[in-house]
Amino acid sequence: MLKGFRSFLLRGNVVDLAVGIVIGAAFTAVVTGFVTAFLTPLIGVATGAVGDFTLKTFDVAGTRFPYGVFINALISFLLVAAVIYFIVVVPVGKLQARLDGDKPAPVAKADCPECLSTIPVAAVRCSFCTSEVAGLPGFPAQSGAAPRPAPVH
């Protein structure tokens, strides 16, 4: 039983998930700190408020509604999402595109008229049923193909 538990814990995807969660928690703390320390006060400067809406409330029939808590959470969410998008997602996307470079064009494919298997358009014979496809509709005549011997009757 312990051997199975150990193999479960040491599988790659469990370890990767654990590392991702720890890194995500640390990154969340950094982003939240940045938003709290810099961006939320800027919102406060722009709106003429302190930047902290937690004390904003209204009363209805003697019941207090602290709408400021929701406004703070909403502003924080939008700012965190913007920081993650512009500081992480966009640069990583550009880096990934640079590292991937130009990918080769996908090979054009068509269906074999005999067996309907998908094969490359440049094929001379179908790799599934071995019927000749060169020169048939959808398949160009192969210029580099060796001439076929005449059938023997």
Side-chain angles (χ1 to χ4, degrees), residues 34-51 75 79:
F34 176 74
V35 167
T36 303
F38 297 105
L39 298 182
T40 303
L42 286 176
I43 297 286
V45 168
T47 62
V50 178
I75 291 171
L79 292 175

Side-chain angles (χ1 to χ4, degrees), residues 20 23 72 75 85 89 110 137 143 145 148:
I23 295 293
N72 267 358
I75 291 171
Y85 181 75
V89 174
S143 59
R148 292 188 301 247

Side-chain angles (χ1 to χ4, degrees), residues 27-70:
F27 186 71
T28 299
V30 169
V31 171
T32 303
F34 176 74
V35 167
T36 303
F38 297 105
L39 298 182
T40 303
L42 286 176
I43 297 286
V45 168
T47 62
V50 178
D52 183 14
F53 299 96
T54 50
L55 300 178
K56 303 289 185 181
T57 62
F58 67 89
D59 293 327
V60 174
T63 303
R64 184 164 296 218
F65 291 88
Y67 70 92
V69 174
F70 173 72

Side-chain angles (χ1 to χ4, degrees), residues 108 110 120-124 133-143 145:
V121 171
V124 175
V133 294
L136 294 176
F139 294 92
Q142 305 299 324
S143 59

Side-chain angles (χ1 to χ4, degrees), residues 30-133:
V30 169
V31 171
T32 303
F34 176 74
V35 167
T36 303
F38 297 105
L39 298 182
T40 303
L42 286 176
I43 297 286
V45 168
T47 62
V50 178
D52 183 14
F53 299 96
T54 50
L55 300 178
K56 303 289 185 181
T57 62
F58 67 89
D59 293 327
V60 174
T63 303
R64 184 164 296 218
F65 291 88
Y67 70 92
V69 174
F70 173 72
I71 290 175
N72 267 358
L74 182 63
I75 291 171
S76 179
F77 170 75
L78 292 174
L79 292 175
V80 167
V83 166
I84 289 174
Y85 181 75
F86 290 111
I87 305 258
V88 176
V89 174
V90 171
V92 168
K94 288 181 180 179
L95 178 65
Q96 191 67 33
R98 185 180 300 160
L99 292 177
D100 286 347
D102 295 332
K103 292 185 178 182
V107 176
K109 297 195 178 225
D111 291 336
C112 171
E114 296 294 324
C115 69
L116 301 178
S117 298
T118 303
I119 59 173
V121 171
V124 175
R125 287 188 175 274
C126 174
S127 59
F128 297 96
C129 68
T130 68
S131 61
E132 293 184 25
V133 294

Side-chain angles (χ1 to χ4, degrees), residues 7-32:
S7 67
F8 167 74
L9 287 179
L10 296 178
R11 283 194 313 197
N13 55 358
V14 173
V15 174
D16 291 344
L17 180 62
V19 169
I21 289 172
V22 170
I23 295 293
F27 186 71
T28 299
V30 169
V31 171
T32 303

